[in-house]
Every structure is written in structure tokens, then in C-alpha cells.
Amino acid sequence: MPSREERASSLNAQQVALRDCTACSLSLKRTQVVFGVGDAAAEIMFVGEGPGFHEDKQGEPFVGQAGKLLSELLATIGLRREDVYIANVVKCRPPDNRDPLASEIEACSPNLLEQVRTIRPRVICTLGRFATRLIGETDAPISSVRGRAKSMEVAGVPVMVFPVFHPAAALYTPSNRALLEEDLRKLKLLLDRDRKALTSQEDEYVAEVAAVPDEHVAKAEITVASGTVGDDGRSGGERAEQLPLW
Ligand code: SF4
């Protein structure tokens, strides 16, 4: 496994190589490529849509109002921006903050996948529909998959993908902000579960996937249990937490 320094060096090389990218028309009006920021060996990556006005000017993702909200939300689960890695689906600002086009996402997505391959996060939290569609490989509406975890491979890396609303959708809509806060609490549960699974020698982890497929989403849940696992595969009941899957 590459060290944090090796991963940081690799990300730096990718960033330098992308500086003059003209692979799509977003290069025409950008101020600069907004590559990504954070810990090169982060356990968790946050992936948004694309740079906005402030990001384009400053060269860093999520520095505007939505970024401020993201930082506040991270703080509620004990994380700082420097503890995570933050990137976008497209690295250059779409003019007038329009949605990125499919051709632009196709042109830029290899860059995001290379970041994932380098950082090797355990969890990718997708912010909004574009990141969820690309990383989660789904056409399901964000409203039906938000706050649910999915185990999959992204760029050859085994990860849990966890979609939430984009913070911009919560800036002026208190109900969306409440949902984001609720989902971040679940995200912390997911991180704690994974961390414990990696470090614990004694606890048994029971993943129950009771799939009930509907049109878009397999409703399922994972039970994180500590203590002795009984004949029925359930724990002795010392601790059990529920996390929905999709
Ligand atoms: S959005 Fe991505 S592919 Fe398009 S010019 Fe910028 S860096 Fe290159």
C-alpha cells in the first residue's frame, strides 16, 4: 500500500498534468482547473458536481457558501476539511453554474477515478445527483438513495458509496439541511463501523442484506453488532445499529 507521501506525490503529479487540460469545452471559460484538496490518504472522499464562481477563482473545491455548510456538517461528526479529500465530477467551472454536460462528465471522469485509485478511500460520499450517478452507477433519483450505503468497486477500489444531497440544495431549504444532518450522522456510523471492522479482533460483524427490490432501490440494512454471535447470526444484543443499504 503506498504511503501518504507517495499518494500525495502522485496526486500532485496528476494536478500538474491537468493544469492545461483542454479535453472538453469547459476549458474555454475557466479561470483554472480545480483539482481537489485534502488528505491524500483520507478514509473518506466527498465528491461534488463541479466548481462554482468562488472555486474557479480560488482553485479549491467547496469554498463558497455550500463549502461553508459542508465544513459545518463535517464538524458535526468530528471531521475537518483536512481529514477528508474533496473533489468534483468535473474540474472546471460550467459557465453560469449550469449543469455539466454528459460529454464533459465523460471527458473528465477519468481524472476523478484516478484520484480514487490513488487515495483508496474506504467511503465515498457523493454530494448530489451528478456524483451519485457517476460514482454509484445508478439512474435512481438522489431522493431515493440518499442516506443509504452501497458496497461496490470504484476504479478497482472496494468502497462504500454513500449519497447525500448536495449542500447547495440545503442552503436555503431548512428541510434539506435537516436531511443532510441526518445523513451525516449515518455517515459517521458507517465510518465507525468500518474503522472498528478493521481494528477489532474480537467483535463479530454481521452484514444482513435482506433485499426487497423495488423499482430503483434494494431496501436492505446492515447490522453492526458487537459481542457473541448467536445461532441465528445475530449478536447477544450488546449493541446493534442499523444502517440502510441500497
Ligand atoms: S472539465 Fe476536466 S476534462 Fe474538461 S477541461 Fe477541465 S479538467 Fe479537462
Side-chain angles (χ1 to χ4, degrees):
M1 181 77 78
S3 67
R4 172 172 276 106
E5 290 69 29
E6 287 167 332
R7 287 183 241 193
S9 165
S10 175
L11 286 175
N12 191 44
Q14 291 163 34
Q15 184 168 9
V16 169
L18 215 56
R19 198 172 285 160
D20 299 316
C21 178
T22 55
C24 82
S25 57
L26 292 181
S27 62
L28 299 175
K29 292 195 171 175
R30 73 176 177 225
T31 303
Q32 57 193 312
V33 173
V34 181
F35 181 72
V37 69
D39 180 4
E43 289 182 323
I44 178 163
M45 269 183 85
F46 288 83
V47 179
E49 182 179 315
F53 175 84
H54 296 286
E55 290 76 14
D56 176 65
K57 295 288 176 232
Q58 295 182 39
E60 186 171 322
F62 283 92
V63 290
Q65 283 300 105
K68 188 164 171 277
L69 176 55
L70 178 61
S71 297
E72 288 171 17
L73 290 164
L74 287 175
T76 66
I77 59 169
L79 290 173
R80 304 162 304 166
R81 279 175 71 97
E82 53 265 44
D83 297 324
V84 306
Y85 195 89
I86 305 172
N88 280 312
V89 167
V90 292
K91 314 290 188 205
C92 301
R93 182 191 181 206
D96 304 317
N97 290 348
R98 65 158 170 75
D99 290 345
L101 304 176
S103 59
E104 294 159 353
I105 293 172
E106 188 182 350
C108 208
S109 58
N111 302 314
L112 177 63
L113 297 180
E114 190 59 28
Q115 287 172 305
V116 172
R117 208 173 284 120
T118 304
I119 297 163
R120 302 189 67 82
R122 289 192 290 110
V123 177
I124 300 179
C125 181
T126 54
L127 304 166
R129 62 192 163 118
F130 287 97
T132 301
R133 196 179 293 163
L134 177 69
I135 297 289
E137 297 175 359
T138 178
D139 289 326
I142 181 76
S143 54
S144 68
V145 294
R146 53 147 279 272
R148 294 168 174 270
K150 179 181 181 181
S151 176
M152 58 185 294
E153 272 200 7
V154 175
V157 180
V159 294
M160 294 297 276
V161 174
F162 189 83
V164 301
F165 284 144
H166 193 287
L171 279 177
Y172 307 108
T173 311
S175 57
N176 281 353
R177 178 169 177 143
L179 290 175
L180 250 179
E181 288 172 353
E182 178 188 321
D183 290 347
L184 264 281
R185 281 192 291 276
K186 290 181 193 161
L187 179 60
K188 179 168 182 0
L189 182 66
L190 181 64
L191 284 170
D192 289 348
R193 177 194 72 102
D194 265 20
R195 205 173 286 132
K196 198 164 176 58
L198 282 177
T199 56
S200 172
Q201 298 296 312
E202 296 172 1
D203 286 4
E204 295 283 348
Y205 282 78
V206 183
E208 286 189 346
V209 181
V212 185
D214 65 12
E215 189 183 351
H216 290 300
V217 180
K219 290 182 185 127
E221 64 184 25
I222 191 164
T223 301
V224 183
S226 63
T228 309
V229 176
D231 293 342
D232 61 355
R234 289 186 176 274
S235 80
E238 289 176 23
R239 182 172 67 87
E241 296 157 337
Q242 308 275 300
L243 186 66
L245 301 181
W246 59 283

